[in-house]
Amino acid sequence: MNHMFKRTLAILLVVPVLMMTIFSAPGSVSAADDLGLRVDAAILVDADTGQILYGKNEDATLGIASMSKMMTEYLLFEAIEEGRITWDQKYTVSDYAYTISQDRRLSNVPLRNGETYTIQELYEALAIYSANGATIGIAETLAGSETEFIKLMDEKAEELGLKDYKFVNSTGLNNSYLQGMQPKGTGENDENVMPAKSVALLAYHLLKDYPEVLETTSIPKKVFREGTADATQMDNWNFMLPGLVYEYEGVDGLKTGTTDLAGHAFTGTAKRGETRLIAVVMKAVDEDGNGSYKARFDAARTLFDYGFNQFVKEEILPADHKFKGNETLPVSKGKEKEVKIGLKEPVTMLVKTSDKDKYTAEFAADESKLKDGKLEAPVKEGSVVGTANIVHADGQPVYGNVDGTPASSDVVTKESVGKAGWFSLTLQAIGDFFSGVWGKATGWVKGLF
């Protein structure tokens, strides 16, 4: 066998392995789970745990359009919670908010220059109708100006663990629509961008921390300033809500987005039984390659169907699960020489119905808790001593969580171990000393022979 033939054969053998690795890695789409989505990126997440159920190009940084308003909502709810503003607080319309609110090319409710509106009114216009002038009004209320509000958005994004984001305004519009009044330090054609995974993480935190947002995002229709000359019918842009054209059982939020850069995007959430899912689709197109409202809702429907039909919430590891070879950890200076360890609580997660019996866990000790490989007494029951990393028995990839953490659970001590008295410690020290001497002597003797 000549050298060239050997090299060619090696390449032919390695390439399939590399391809299998690439296409089975968490965060990519395996052939078995190719849902046929016509999107630039997508992700499906368990809203309860943050577990990723499906991902396609979810780390690619793309335009997010009005999905940006979820950050404005988060900051608004936080300010309400902290008592910095109130729902009935009045906002006096600025020239900037007025000018943008009058642009009928955009989603808006008309705001009167210099007139006052409650924060509640502005928020409903944002959450239901994606009103851009109203969003600017909220940003100005919270930070004094939209320029300063961007700083709040960046700070919160970092705090929440979002990655690869860029905020240039509160609305998600391309700055070219802001008529030269875009926030200072941003370009006239700049636009907000973020990966689908970060969008899903933002939605995850919004729903976790302020679930009351769904009370408003679930409203299909409402009249802004009903009974006045400015009365405006607000039809929710989320056409998957009950009674609307693409309705889907369980949908009650969350935020659509459309610009030339972002295309037709959507962050949706739906609940059935005890399971709530978050789906993000970005730059959805139809079979002809054209972006449309229908295309984004069709893509979201496919994700929701996949999640609700293919996955079930199961206890995959019981609380008494034993780690083979790691049933205990050694203890120093204790009344006992070892302590039993196990899962802090049963591990429950969404799994494919055919895979529920195929999961196990690998124990990884927290080295910062050990000294010379041992826990030092006293040891309290329930102390976290490591992590159980969830693995699939068939070698299938196990998606982590949307915050970047792996699929895992805490491992704790299952009993307490008191510190030994001084006499016992003295005997242990003597025993350790002679054990060490004997070990050295044995090694010396073996060295002779």
Side-chain angles (χ1 to χ4, degrees):
M1 189 180 293
N2 62 41
H3 176 71
M4 182 60 70
F5 180 75
K6 290 181 179 178
R7 186 176 180 183
T8 303
L9 179 60
I11 292 173
L12 290 173
L13 291 172
V14 169
V15 168
V17 174
L18 288 174
M19 295 300 287
M20 287 174 64
T21 301
I22 292 171
F23 288 107
S24 65
S28 65
V29 183
S30 68
D33 289 336
D34 184 358
L35 304 182
L37 295 175
R38 291 184 290 269
V39 297
D40 278 9
I43 192 170
L44 182 67
V45 172
D46 176 8
D48 181 42
T49 65
Q51 176 193 349
I52 299 174
L53 307 179
Y54 176 90
K56 176 180 180 180
N57 298 333
E58 68 270 29
D59 292 311
T61 302
L62 302 169
I64 58 173
S66 282
M67 295 191 299
S68 308
K69 293 183 173 82
M70 290 190 294
M71 177 61 82
T72 303
E73 289 174 321
Y74 191 100
L75 291 168
L76 172 60
F77 276 107
E78 184 178 63
I80 294 288
E81 181 181 50
E82 294 175 356
R84 290 185 280 118
I85 64 171
T86 62
W87 289 115
D88 58 1
Q89 183 171 324
K90 297 295 181 66
Y91 162 75
T92 302
V93 178
S94 66
D95 289 342
Y96 176 34
Y98 164 75
T99 301
I100 301 305
S101 78
Q102 300 301 309
D103 189 340
R104 303 312 293 173
R105 297 173 300 170
L106 310 175
S107 181
N108 269 312
V109 293
L111 302 178
R112 301 270 185 174
N113 200 7
E115 191 166 328
T116 61
Y117 297 80
T118 67
I119 295 301
Q120 180 74 38
E121 287 179 301
L122 298 180
Y123 162 65
E124 289 180 351
L126 178 162
I128 299 170
Y129 202 46
S130 199
N132 292 288
T135 302
I136 292 169
I138 290 173
E140 291 177 339
T141 301
L142 293 177
S145 70
E146 192 175 35
T147 298
E148 291 301 311
F149 187 72
I150 293 172
K151 296 178 183 178
L152 297 183
M153 297 175 85
D154 287 339
E155 290 171 2
K156 186 56 62 177
E158 183 176 359
E159 180 185 321
L160 297 179
L162 308 189
K163 305 294 184 185
D164 302 323
Y165 58 86
K166 179 183 178 182
F167 291 112
V168 298
N169 58 52
S170 63
T171 60
L173 291 170
N174 188 285
N175 273 354
S176 62
Y177 282 95
L178 301 182
Q179 303 183 41
M181 295 179 285
Q182 68 269 10
K184 294 177 183 178
T186 66
E188 61 181 15
N189 293 302
D190 283 355
E191 194 163 325
N192 297 343
V193 295
M194 194 186 298
K197 184 184 288 185
S198 289
V199 176
L201 181 57
L202 173 56
Y204 170 77
H205 282 297
L206 179 59
L207 293 176
K208 275 285 187 184
D209 297 342
Y210 304 108
E212 58 267 34
V213 68
L214 297 174
E215 296 173 9
T216 308
T217 61
S218 60
I219 298 173
K221 301 173 185 290
K222 188 166 186 176
V223 177
F224 177 76
R225 290 228 150 175
E226 189 170 10
T228 72
D230 291 331
T232 303
Q233 174 70 34
M234 298 189 296
D235 294 333
N236 201 313
W237 292 104
N238 178 2
F239 298 163
M240 297 187 84
L241 290 173
L244 301 187
V245 61
Y246 301 119
E247 68 176 292
Y248 186 91
E249 181 188 347
V251 167
D252 49 7
L254 197 53
K255 195 69 201 72
T256 58
T258 311
T259 64
D260 290 342
L261 174 67
H264 287 75
F266 178 48
T267 299
T269 183
K271 184 176 183 181
R272 291 185 180 178
E274 297 302 312
T275 300
R276 176 176 288 281
L277 302 177
I278 297 169
V280 178
V281 296
M282 302 177 76
K283 210 156 193 177
V285 298
D286 60 23
E287 59 273 12
D288 297 321
N290 300 315
S292 67
Y293 299 134
K294 183 178 186 299
R296 70 179 171 202
F297 297 128
D298 282 349
R301 178 183 298 274
T302 297
L303 284 174
F304 284 139
D305 283 347
Y306 176 71
F308 287 123
N309 296 338
Q310 297 293 321
F311 289 82
V312 62
K313 193 155 287 190
E314 289 281 351
E315 180 181 297
I316 60 170
L317 296 173
D320 60 356
H321 175 79
K322 298 293 189 300
F323 299 100
K324 191 173 181 179
N326 292 113
E327 294 85 357
T328 63
L329 279 178
V331 176
S332 64
K333 301 180 181 179
K335 293 181 178 179
E336 305 292 339
K337 291 188 176 182
E338 58 186 23
V339 61
K340 294 178 181 178
I341 62 172
L343 293 172
K344 181 178 181 180
E345 55 191 18
V347 176
T348 300
M349 59 188 289
L350 285 173
V351 297
K352 287 189 175 180
T353 52
S354 58
D355 287 358
K356 64 182 181 180
D357 297 322
K358 297 181 180 179
Y359 290 88
T360 186
E362 295 176 348
F363 172 65
D366 183 348
E367 296 298 331
S368 68
K369 304 288 180 68
L370 306 177
K371 184 177 181 180
D372 297 326
K374 298 181 179 182
L375 293 171
E376 187 171 309
V379 177
K380 291 183 178 179
E381 182 179 356
S383 299
V384 177
V385 293
T387 302
N389 295 314
I390 311 304
V391 294
H392 195 285
D394 293 343
Q396 296 293 324
V398 178
Y399 281 110
N401 298 318
V402 72
D403 62 1
T405 58
S408 62
S409 181
D410 287 339
V411 175
V412 299
T413 53
K414 290 294 187 178
E415 56 191 354
S416 298
V417 175
K419 189 170 184 177
W422 70 268
F423 183 70
S424 296
L425 290 175
T426 301
L427 291 178
Q428 286 183 22
I430 293 172
D432 290 342
F433 171 77
F434 282 110
S435 176
V437 171
W438 176 252
K440 290 180 181 179
T442 301
W444 179 73
V445 172
K446 286 183 178 178
L448 291 177
F449 299 99

